[in-house]
């Protein structure tokens, strides 16, 4: 039973790596005219942080997701690598 949970963690780590690498590719290759389509995407979430001021402590909460074509391709490639393992 532990084996399946380890495989699940491997999948999560591979997916996160795919998202991060896809984000880097979108940022750097998106500047080139031929690869500009990789940086096309949508951003959603809390763009302005929620602030909780307790006079002694101030907390700010913000969460933003940015999905790009390169990030989605990174997720797909990570899943294919996981399937081959």
């Amino acid at each position: 039973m532990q084996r399946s949970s380890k495989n699940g963690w491997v999948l999560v780590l591979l997916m996160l790596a795919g998202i991060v690498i896809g984000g880097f590719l979108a940022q750097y290759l998106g500047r080139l005219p031929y690869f500009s389509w990789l940086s096309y995407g949508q951003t959603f979430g809390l763009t302005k942080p929620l602030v909780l001021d307790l006079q002694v402590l101030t907390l700010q909460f913000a969460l933003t997701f940015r999905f790009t074509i390169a990030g989605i391709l990174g997720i797909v490639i990570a899943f294919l690598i996981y399937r081959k393992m």
Side-chain angles (χ1 to χ4, degrees), residues 5-71:
S5 66
K6 286 183 183 179
N7 287 338
W9 284 110
V10 170
L11 177 62
V12 168
L13 290 175
L14 281 173
M15 294 272 186
L16 286 174
I19 291 170
V20 170
I21 292 170
F24 284 138
L25 288 176
Q27 185 175 0
Y28 293 110
L29 290 179
R31 297 176 187 167
L32 301 173
Y34 186 73
F35 294 110
S36 64
W37 59 275
L38 287 174
S39 63
Y40 179 75
Q42 186 69 32
T43 302
F44 64 94
L46 297 171
T47 55
K48 295 181 183 178
L50 298 171
V51 179
L52 176 61
D53 188 4
L54 302 174
Q55 298 298 321
V56 177
L57 178 69
T58 302
L59 298 172
Q60 294 183 356
F61 302 98
L63 183 63
T64 304
F65 293 99
R66 176 161 170 81
F67 288 103
T68 61
I69 301 278

Side-chain angles (χ1 to χ4, degrees), residues 11 14-19 22 68-84:
L11 177 62
L14 281 173
M15 294 272 186
L16 286 174
I19 291 170
T68 61
I69 301 278
I72 293 170
L73 288 175
I75 292 172
V76 169
I77 291 170
F79 183 72
L80 292 174
I81 290 171
Y82 176 76
R83 296 275 317 252
K84 294 284 183 183

